[in-house]
């Protein structure tokens, strides 16, 4: 029987703070689910993280912690390539070439650039604007057919596709044009617990807005207890009219695997107090084994380092192939 060739898939998470349950639900939890079906390549995106000011010691710590979290969430280094973005220089090299076919107009229109420029007005740097070009390089280097991301990254993914098509048209077929793999059901966009009109973000200055993957039980329960809902008392999924309640239902649905309709039925007639407590308990219960496994891994730093070093070598081999092709296509003299 003919063996089916697996497609490649790339995704990354920035070590720009403690990872939230939003990052987990929208991205990381899907990573392990996809590893049998695809050739998965997952990165800790430290090059992206420095587009916003990072404290160097915290960045180093967050990088190691995120690698351990990937492993604790079931990503298997025997099945996937797991590495740190700055360990593979081809990401920067390809992004330079892609910069020459990307236009300032399209980059300055990106929602994330506008949001982050407003949020970090004192540090609107070129890297922040160039973020989507580096992201395109990440994906295109591995000829990824699929990119599992939260809905917030959809616009960047479209730019990646545009750049791939533009390059292929100008220089001949070089890149696979990737598709987004965005959750069809809810969960693609988890909102802040403190302000359900904004997405949950690890760099939110209000810590009540997010729950991190490493948060302790008491803190999780307290944050859910304080979560913003609304003045009526109906527990119903309606993101337009009831964004706070719908966000909590989405989180409950994501951690229990129950359908949204079943979640609504389960809480019918109950008060917000009971509802919020149940969501908090469920999240705390679900995170406990991941936290324990992550702590175990962090106690064995040599193992985590070996995973990232082997991952970088494997990523480098794939990336080098695409980069050499790109260099040839654009006309760089090889000296051979
Ligand atoms: N609130 C969210 N709901 C669902 N998915 C989300 N993602 C992020 N926030 C949510 C998804 O998580 C993956 C990793 O994201 P990232 O760290 O690379 O960058 P981000 O999207 O900018 O995440 P944050 O938490 O908002 O980080 P900061 O605060 O540093 O900007 C992506 O697939 C993303 O879609």
């Amino acid at each position: 029987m003919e063996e089916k060739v697996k497609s490649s898939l790339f995704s990354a998470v920035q070590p720009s703070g403690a990872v939230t349950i939003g990052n987990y639900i929208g991205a990381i939890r899907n990573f392990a689910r996809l590893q049998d079906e695809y050739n998965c390549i997952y990165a800790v995106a430290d090059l992206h993280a420095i587009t916003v000011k990072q404290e160097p010691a915290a960045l180093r710590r967050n990088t190691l912690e995120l690698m351990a979290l990937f492993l604790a969430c079931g990503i298997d280094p025997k099945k996937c390539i797991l590495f740190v973005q700055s360990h593979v220089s081809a990401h920067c090299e390809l992004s330079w070439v892609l910069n020459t076919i990307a236009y300032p107009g399209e980059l300055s229109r990106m929602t994330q650039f506008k949001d982050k420029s407003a949020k970090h007005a004192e540090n609107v740097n070129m890297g922040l604007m160039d973020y989507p070009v580096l992201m395109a390089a990440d994906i295109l280097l591995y000829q990824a057919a699929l990119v599992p991301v939260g809905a917030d990254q959809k616009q960047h993914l479209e730019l990646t596709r545009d750049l791939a098509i533009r390059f292929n048209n100008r220089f001949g077929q070089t890149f696979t044009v990737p598709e987004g793999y965005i959750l069809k059901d809810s969960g693609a966009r988890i909102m802040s617990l403190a302000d359900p009109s904004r997405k949950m973000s690890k760099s939110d200055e209000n810590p009540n807005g997010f729950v991190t993957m490493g948060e302790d039980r008491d803190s999780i329960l307290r944050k859910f207890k304080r979560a913003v809902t609304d003045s009526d008392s109906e527990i119903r999924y309606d993101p337009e009219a009831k964004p706070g309640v719908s966000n909590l239902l989405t989180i409950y649905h994501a951690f229990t695997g129950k359908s949204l309709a079943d979640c609504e039925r389960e809480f019918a007639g109950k008060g917000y107090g009971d509802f919020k407590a149940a969501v908090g308990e469920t999240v705390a219960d679900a995170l406990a084994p991941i936290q324990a496994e992550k702590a175990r891994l962090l106690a064995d730093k040599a193992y985590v380092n070996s995973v990232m070093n082997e991952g970088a070598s494997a990523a480098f081999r794939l990336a080098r192939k695409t980069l050499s092709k790109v260099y040839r296509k654009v006309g760089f003299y090889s000296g051979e």
Side-chain angles (χ1 to χ4, degrees):
M1 212 169 77
E2 206 179 305
E3 209 182 313
K4 199 175 155 234
V5 180
K6 287 185 187 174
S7 311
S8 293
L9 174 155
F10 177 90
S11 200
V13 179
Q14 300 180 77
S16 46
V19 170
T20 71
I21 57 169
N23 302 129
Y24 177 71
I25 296 172
I28 300 171
R29 78 178 164 138
N30 304 307
F31 290 1
R33 294 176 183 172
L34 295 163
Q35 62 192 354
D36 290 316
E37 213 178 320
Y38 299 97
N39 288 324
C40 297
I41 300 144
Y42 298 126
V44 174
D46 55 350
L47 295 171
H48 278 102
I50 60 163
T51 56
V52 167
K53 256 188 207 138
Q54 302 292 331
E55 209 272 296
L59 180 60
R60 263 191 291 277
R61 182 74 205 162
N62 287 333
T63 300
L64 180 69
E65 293 229 0
L66 184 48
M67 188 55 81
L69 181 67
F70 278 165
L71 296 169
C73 289
I75 301 172
D76 181 350
K78 292 199 188 73
K79 295 180 180 168
C80 309
I81 296 178
L82 263 178
F83 71 106
V84 176
Q85 190 187 24
S86 65
H87 295 180
V88 180
S89 59
H91 291 251
C92 292
E93 294 168 283
L94 180 59
S95 80
W96 177 253
V97 176
L98 294 178
N99 268 328
T100 64
I101 58 161
Y103 305 117
E106 59 191 349
L107 297 178
S108 61
R109 272 198 302 276
M110 294 286 126
T111 309
Q112 180 178 291
F113 173 64
K114 289 195 257 179
D115 287 353
K116 290 205 169 170
S117 301
K119 208 161 138 193
H120 305 277
E122 78 304 337
N123 183 27
V124 183
N125 60 77
M126 286 305 294
L128 197 56
M129 188 161 152
D130 210 27
Y131 183 113
V133 178
L134 178 59
M135 179 167 156
D138 298 339
I139 297 164
L140 300 180
L141 268 179
Y142 301 101
Q143 306 289 350
L146 277 181
V147 186
V149 285
D152 61 318
Q153 292 296 333
K154 203 168 158 211
Q155 201 183 27
H156 288 169
L157 199 65
E158 262 149 34
L159 187 89
T160 297
R161 289 171 53 84
D162 288 347
L163 292 178
I165 293 167
R166 206 174 290 163
F167 190 97
N168 288 346
N169 284 344
R170 193 174 303 175
F171 297 105
Q173 180 58 36
T174 307
F175 297 124
T176 302
V177 180
E179 299 284 343
Y181 184 94
I182 295 168
L183 295 181
K184 294 281 179 297
D185 61 353
S186 51
R189 195 170 162 81
I190 300 297
M191 310 310 283
S192 157
L193 298 184
D195 175 2
S197 68
R198 293 170 43 195
K199 85 160 183 141
M200 184 180 283
S201 266
K202 57 177 113 62
S203 60
D204 191 342
E205 62 285 354
N206 180 358
N208 289 320
F210 57 79
V211 169
T212 71
M213 293 298 289
E215 202 138 339
D216 67 58
R217 187 171 198 95
D218 286 350
S219 174
I220 296 174
L221 297 182
R222 198 172 51 248
K223 286 188 180 177
F224 277 101
K225 200 169 158 194
R226 295 175 65 158
V228 169
T229 43
D230 52 44
S231 54
D232 80 43
S233 60
E234 207 187 345
I235 298 168
R236 173 168 56 85
Y237 184 76
D238 181 347
E240 291 291 313
K242 297 175 76 69
V245 170
S246 303
N247 191 38
L248 295 179
L249 277 169
T250 303
I251 294 170
Y252 189 72
H253 146 77
F255 279 104
T256 57
K258 294 176 187 170
S259 71
L260 281 169
D262 281 346
C263 298
E264 281 180 328
R265 265 192 292 279
E266 190 175 332
F267 293 107
K270 298 220 170 101
Y272 282 170
D274 289 345
F275 170 51
K276 290 196 226 178
V279 180
E281 295 281 353
T282 299
V283 173
D285 287 348
L287 296 192
I290 299 175
Q291 292 173 348
E293 178 60 4
K294 185 179 152 206
R296 192 191 68 76
L297 288 158
L298 285 174
D300 187 1
K301 195 171 149 190
Y303 170 70
V304 182
N305 285 345
S306 74
V307 168
M308 69 172 81
N309 290 333
E310 280 165 28
S313 302
F316 173 81
R317 282 193 293 277
L318 291 175
R320 201 70 228 169
K321 237 163 125 181
T322 302
L323 192 67
S324 301
K325 194 168 174 190
V326 168
Y327 278 10
R328 227 176 24 250
K329 296 264 185 182
V330 300
F332 290 165
Y333 185 65
S334 72
E336 280 167 10

